[in-house]
Amino acid sequence: MRAMSQNPPDLRPDLAPRPRFDTAPRPGQPTIGMVSLGCPKALVDSERILTRLRAEGYAISPDYAGADAVIVNTCGFLDSAKAESLEAIGEALQENGKVIVTGCLGAEPEYITGVHPKVMAVTGPHQYEQVLDAVHVAVPPSPDPFVDLLPAAGIKLTPRHYSYLKISEGCNHKCKFCIIPDMRGRLVSRPAFAIVREAEKLVQSGVKELLVISQDTSAYGVDLKYATERGHRAHITDLARDLGSLGAWVRMHYVYPYPHVRDMIPLMADGLILPYLDIPFQHAHPDVLRRMARPAAAAKTLDEIAAWRDICPDITLRSTFIVGYPGETEAEFQTLLDWLDEAQLDRVGCFQYENVAGARSNLLPDHVPDEVKQDRWNRFMEKAQAISAAKLQAKVGQQMDVIIDEIEDGVATCRTKADAPEIDGNLFIDEGVERLSVGDIVRVTVDEAEDYDLWGTPV
């Protein structure tokens, strides 16, 4: 049986981990397959859809042949991601035949049906009810209330020991290169008490790491006017404090460097949340940032980074950047390289700019040739790699806690507090593995370092 498509490893620097599926349906149980592409926010949408379907008596299949129908949760962030989504839809049609499309690319139904007219239905992002309706038409439910038991935490597509926690939908920014607000709408924050309750259930079910995600984590609660409800205030600092009290690792993603972010850093210094910030800086030259319609204060950002490190010296900073943005000159790109030298970020990803249908940046003058974009990407990543290698080499001899993600062939693949799943590096253990289990948090001594990964020995 052919396994279903997964995220291609080199398409995006912020892909979700590979989904993991329950493979034991009862006899006669209707079965749905799920192809989940794109970022962790899309993976959470897939989990919500599958949780609803599982509650209605459906089983989940990891392969096409074992599925009565297949849902493809698409990505529409870049044209290359759109192409990958169309390819996945085509593969599902060929291998299974009954295909329901949802996700970000589903906001453009004519684009999908123009290429694949045989899909059964197309729905947009977080349109859960429409997806369920389409599944009911394709494969009627057949629940057995005495057999179909649903875990309290719902269906998870990640390993049991970590989980993504989505705190809001949409975004109020108007970056010229991005169409996500057009697809997912303006910021809509979840009530803080509901987020904390979900987190409590996850921790009670064995989750040891909560990865907080949204389109703009720093803006959480703005639309709710930071209201307090059932004892929990809808402000990111208060939410971080509440989540940190649950005893799990709490990792913050997609944090814009607003001034109030500094209030979270003491929580990291005190060990309440992980000393890790994922911040989309995108560029460093003020003129490029203005053309992107983003805050143009790179020098001020360096001051802010210094202030964060003063409060919490162990903080890990991850970011993504765009090279080859329309109008980017060699001098502007060199400013970015110089800024990176000064900022010394720990984890760095990089996109080469792409036009995306509907993005305002398409209309900007002086688009950069592909070969220049590739050259700048190579130079950027070479510098980022050198910074990463030096920082990891400095960790040799240190002791640190790691969480074990996988054990295979006598090697444990782990992550330190400085590493998020899939997008950052790993620490590998190849001695004393027989005493370890997936999901354990163990103390190790770092023995070796490479450009992005570490090797260690349990203490």
Side-chain angles (χ1 to χ4, degrees):
M1 296 185 199
R2 184 171 179 180
M4 286 181 283
S5 293
Q6 305 294 336
N7 278 317
D10 58 352
L11 182 61
R12 297 268 300 280
D14 62 340
L15 289 173
R18 176 178 180 148
R20 304 190 181 199
F21 298 94
D22 178 5
T23 59
R26 59 177 166 78
Q29 186 175 19
T31 304
I32 300 297
M34 171 67 83
V35 177
S36 188
L37 303 175
C39 65
K41 295 178 285 294
L43 187 74
V44 172
D45 290 342
S46 296
E47 291 175 341
R48 289 177 177 174
I49 291 168
L50 293 180
T51 295
R52 295 283 298 275
L53 290 174
R54 186 69 182 83
E56 293 184 353
Y58 293 91
I60 313 303
S61 173
D63 56 67
Y64 293 113
D68 297 313
V70 175
I71 301 169
V72 180
N73 191 1
T74 57
C75 178
F77 183 64
L78 299 170
D79 283 353
S80 53
K82 290 181 178 181
E84 176 65 27
S85 293
L86 289 177
E87 183 180 341
I89 294 167
E91 180 183 289
L93 283 168
Q94 179 180 343
E95 298 291 331
N96 183 278
K98 291 185 176 181
V99 177
I100 297 158
V101 179
T102 189
C104 287
L105 192 57
E108 305 176 53
E110 296 82 3
Y111 181 81
I112 295 170
T113 55
V115 179
H116 297 300
K118 293 184 178 180
V119 297
M120 301 189 71
V122 179
T123 70
H126 49 84
Q127 292 183 343
Y128 309 123
E129 297 300 331
Q130 292 91 326
V131 175
L132 293 173
D133 289 345
V135 171
H136 295 160
V137 171
V139 185
S142 181
D144 185 336
F146 299 102
V147 177
D148 298 329
L149 301 177
L150 187 67
I155 301 298
K156 291 295 171 188
L157 299 179
T158 52
R160 291 187 178 186
H161 59 280
Y162 70 80
S163 181
Y164 292 101
L165 186 65
K166 183 154 52 168
I167 64 173
S168 66
E169 288 283 2
C171 180
N172 290 345
H173 289 282
K174 297 182 179 179
C175 304
K176 288 187 177 181
F177 56 82
C178 184
I179 60 171
I180 287 177
D182 297 326
M183 294 187 293
R184 290 188 169 260
R186 291 179 61 80
L187 177 73
V188 179
S189 301
R190 296 176 61 195
F193 76 86
I195 298 170
V196 174
R197 180 65 185 130
E198 180 184 352
E200 288 172 343
K201 289 182 179 179
L202 290 169
V203 173
Q204 289 166 6
S205 69
V207 168
K208 296 182 180 179
E209 180 180 8
L210 300 167
L211 299 109
V212 177
I213 58 171
S214 66
Q215 295 300 142
D216 180 1
T217 298
S218 306
Y220 170 73
V222 168
D223 56 314
L224 301 177
K225 299 182 179 179
Y226 305 128
T228 297
E229 189 175 356
R230 303 189 196 180
H232 297 281
R233 181 173 178 246
H235 187 283
I236 189 58
T237 305
D238 297 81
L239 180 63
R241 186 179 294 107
D242 289 344
L243 295 175
S245 70
L246 301 180
W249 285 9
V250 177
R251 190 181 302 276
M252 308 301 293
H253 285 282
Y254 313 120
V255 180
Y256 282 75
Y258 302 147
H260 69 262
V261 169
R262 192 182 296 192
D263 297 335
M264 279 199 296
I265 310 304
L267 304 182
M268 300 178 182
D270 293 341
L272 202 61
I273 64 175
L274 291 184
Y276 179 102
L277 277 181
D278 176 6
I279 302 178
F281 289 123
Q282 308 296 12
H283 211 279
H285 196 283
D287 292 341
V288 177
L289 291 168
R290 275 191 286 269
R291 291 198 297 273
M292 291 177 169
R294 291 180 63 83
K300 199 172 183 180
T301 299
L302 288 173
D303 294 338
E304 200 65 27
I305 289 173
W308 298 339
R309 285 174 170 155
D310 282 343
I311 299 169
C312 182
D314 293 334
I315 192 170
T316 295
L317 299 178
R318 137 165 274 283
S319 190
T320 52
F321 295 84
I322 297 173
V323 296
Y325 191 76
E328 183 189 59
T329 65
E330 178 61 27
E332 290 171 341
F333 174 68
Q334 187 59 51
T335 297
L336 174 57
L337 292 183
D338 294 343
W339 186 92
L340 196 61
D341 261 332
E342 193 164 354
Q344 290 286 300
L345 302 181
D346 303 86
R347 307 283 187 264
V348 174
C350 186
F351 296 97
Q352 294 182 48
Y353 172 80
E354 291 183 27
N355 278 338
V356 178
R360 293 178 296 154
S361 57
N362 300 354
L363 303 177
L364 291 173
D366 303 321
H367 281 241
V368 178
D370 288 344
E371 61 272 15
V372 176
K373 286 190 284 189
Q374 182 65 49
D375 174 69
R376 290 177 182 171
W377 185 89
N378 291 340
R379 290 155 62 195
F380 180 94
M381 292 308 299
E382 182 179 4
K383 182 172 288 293
Q385 184 181 53
I387 293 171
S388 174
K391 281 180 168 283
L392 292 185
Q393 190 63 42
K395 295 180 185 292
V396 173
Q398 295 183 15
Q399 290 190 359
M400 58 184 64
D401 292 331
V402 299
I403 190 166
I404 301 174
D405 283 342
E406 186 177 51
I407 298 177
E408 187 173 353
D409 298 329
V411 178
T413 301
C414 317
R415 289 179 292 107
T416 73
K417 293 179 179 180
D419 300 300
E422 298 294 312
I423 59 175
D424 293 328
N426 294 110
L427 182 143
F428 299 101
I429 300 173
D430 56 10
E431 295 181 14
V433 176
E434 63 279 357
R435 304 191 303 270
L436 307 177
S437 300
V438 171
D440 285 351
I441 295 177
V442 299
R443 191 80 172 167
V444 301
T445 299
V446 179
D447 302 320
E448 299 177 42
E450 288 195 351
D451 292 340
Y452 299 111
D453 299 314
L454 299 169
W455 276 257
T457 304
V459 175

